[in-house]
Amino acid sequence: MGSESKQGEKTRVLVVGATGYIGKSIVRACLAEGHETYVLQRPEIGVDVEKVQLLLSFKKLGARIVEASFSDHQSLVSAVKLVDVVVSAMSGVHIRSHSILFQLKLVEAIKEAGNVKRFLPSEFGMDPPRMGHALPPGRETFDQKMEVRKAIEAAGIQYTYVVGACFAGYMAGGLCQMVALLPPKKKINIYGDGNVKVVFADEDDIAKYTAKTLNDPRTLNKTVSIRPPDNVLTQLELVQIWEKLTGNELEKTNIAAQDFLANIEQMEIPQQAAIGHFYHIFYEGCLTDHEVGEEEEAISLYPEVMYKRMDDYLRMYL
C-alpha cells in the first residue's frame, strides 16, 4: 500500500531530526513513498551550513519546511497540526547529541493538537523494553526511550515503534570495530569467539521500512522489527565477507568479555556508553536472542523492499 488513504489523499508526514544521521534517509524515503513530507526546521540550526544545505536539498525534492522550536510549545502544536503522522529521528547516542527526552515536548504538542494519527518516536536500534539490565551509562538511552514510550501511551497517542538493527554505516563498514568506520587493513579485534548473531541494515533500508510502516493499519500500536534474514550475521561472518571481497585475510585477536569491559570506569561517558552497547550486541546477542513474529517483522510485511545485503554494502569500501 502506498501513501494513498481511502479518500485518495496522501499521508502527511512531519520528520523531526530531519538533518540528522537517520533523519535525512527517512525524509528521502517518505518522499519516494509518495507521502506529503514536512521537515521541522529549528532556530538552533544557526550557522550550521551543512544542515541548512540539507534542508534546501529536501525542499528541492518536494519537502515542505516548517519552522518550530522545542522552547516554543505553540510553534510545535502548529507544526504537528499540519500532518497525520510525526516521525522523530532525534539522536539517541552519546557520541552525538543525546536528545531523546526532547521528544516529551513533541508528545505534549501532539496531545494538544489532537489530530495526529500516529507517532513514531526515535528508536531504530535495540528494543528498549528488553534492555532493563543494560550497563550504565549506556542504559540511559533505553531508560529515556522507555520514558518517551510511557508518555506516548499515557497520552493515548497511537504509535509504531521501529526497532532491531545495527546501522551499517556505524557497524558494518568498520567490521564492528569500536573506533573505526572503515575496514581495517591488517588486524582486527573479534568480540569473544565472534559467533554471536547480529542484525545489520543499510540506513536507507531502515528508512524505507519506516516510510512504509507509518500509515500501515497492520502496524498500528505495534513494534516492528527490522531483521533482514540475509543480514543476520556474526561478526566473523561479516569479516569473512570482507576477506572474500578483498582476497586478504586479517590477523584476528579475540577479546574476552572481561577484558572488553576491563577499563570502562576510566573512560569518558560517551565511550563508556558505546562499550556497554557493543557488549550487549556482540557478547550477549541482544538483537537476536528473541523470536519475532511474521506480523511484526518488516521484511515479511514489505517483501517488495529489496534490502541491501552486506556483501553488496561492503563493496562500497573496496
Side-chain angles (χ1 to χ4, degrees):
M1 62 173 271
S3 193
E4 305 296 312
S5 63
K6 287 189 207 55
Q7 301 80 24
E9 292 168 1
K10 288 185 169 189
T11 298
R12 296 167 305 163
V13 182
L14 173 67
V15 182
V16 182
T19 58
Y21 182 65
I22 195 80
K24 53 185 184 287
S25 293
I26 291 173
V27 173
R28 293 182 193 123
C30 285
L31 288 163
E33 194 61 24
H35 303 322
E36 190 175 301
T37 306
Y38 295 75
V39 297
L40 196 71
Q41 177 191 329
R42 292 149 54 198
E44 295 81 7
I45 200 164
V47 292
D48 189 332
V49 69
E50 282 95 352
K51 286 189 174 182
V52 171
Q53 287 178 337
L54 257 180
L55 284 173
L56 293 173
S57 75
F58 296 152
K59 214 167 156 181
K60 214 170 174 178
L61 293 171
R64 301 169 191 212
I65 310 291
V66 190
E67 290 188 47
S69 168
F70 280 102
S71 52
D72 176 355
H73 173 69
Q74 246 10 84
S75 73
L76 283 178
V77 174
S78 304
V80 301
K81 274 193 170 159
L82 296 168
V83 297
D84 311 301
V85 177
V86 177
V87 180
S88 169
M90 300 191 73
S91 170
V93 289
H94 289 74
I95 57 167
R96 290 173 81 92
S97 62
H98 201 265
S99 41
I100 292 292
L101 291 181
F102 274 128
Q103 295 179 106
L104 295 174
K105 297 188 178 190
L106 268 181
V107 171
E108 286 302 312
I110 290 168
K111 187 179 174 181
E112 187 177 318
N115 61 294
V116 173
K117 299 190 181 81
R118 203 180 304 197
F119 179 36
L120 282 71
S122 187
E123 290 275 353
F124 313 114
M126 294 172 255
D127 194 13
R130 298 185 171 279
M131 300 307 297
H133 69 291
L135 295 168
R139 70 171 288 165
E140 190 181 33
T141 305
F142 313 118
D143 292 345
Q144 291 186 1
K145 285 181 175 182
M146 286 309 293
E147 200 177 324
V148 172
R149 285 190 182 199
K150 286 186 178 110
I152 291 168
E153 291 168 34
I157 296 166
Q158 305 197 103
Y159 60 85
T160 300
Y161 304 139
V162 179
V163 302
C166 286
F167 294 167
Y170 271 104
M171 294 295 206
L175 306 181
C176 317
Q177 299 303 283
M178 280 214 60
V179 289
L181 298 178
L182 295 167
K185 298 269 189 284
K186 295 191 171 75
K187 301 177 174 184
I188 187 159
N189 289 335
I190 301 294
Y191 304 117
D193 60 7
N195 289 323
V196 170
K197 290 280 185 187
V198 178
V199 184
F200 300 95
D202 182 302
E203 291 77 354
D204 289 341
D205 291 336
I206 294 172
K208 281 177 199 168
Y209 291 122
T210 302
K212 285 187 177 293
T213 192
L214 60 80
N215 63 347
D216 184 343
R218 297 174 297 176
T219 61
L220 188 65
N221 297 339
K222 295 255 184 4
T223 296
V224 174
S225 292
I226 295 176
R227 200 186 270 196
D230 290 352
N231 291 349
V232 179
L233 302 164
T234 67
Q235 187 196 4
L236 268 182
E237 285 170 335
L238 188 74
V239 170
Q240 282 156 2
I241 290 171
W242 178 246
E243 289 176 333
K244 197 172 166 190
L245 285 171
T246 59
N248 170 36
E249 201 175 319
L250 295 168
E251 189 188 315
K252 300 169 188 70
T253 305
N254 296 79
I255 311 288
Q258 65 269 25
D259 297 330
F260 185 69
L261 296 174
N263 302 318
I264 192 165
E265 282 84 14
Q266 281 94 63
M267 310 210 175
E268 300 286 320
I269 295 290
Q271 279 67 40
Q272 289 189 29
I275 285 172
H277 291 177
F278 269 68
Y279 176 77
H280 299 305
I281 293 167
F282 293 104
Y283 289 91
E284 289 183 349
C286 68
L287 294 173
T288 56
D289 63 1
H290 54 284
E291 291 299 310
V292 175
E294 268 189 26
E295 67 288 350
E296 289 147 1
E297 213 283 315
I299 289 74
S300 318
L301 289 165
Y302 312 109
E304 69 276 14
V305 174
M306 303 305 293
Y307 67 86
K308 186 167 273 204
R309 273 63 175 169
M310 284 302 108
D311 55 345
D312 199 19
Y313 185 86
L314 286 173
R315 281 199 178 88
M316 285 197 300
Y317 295 85
L318 287 170

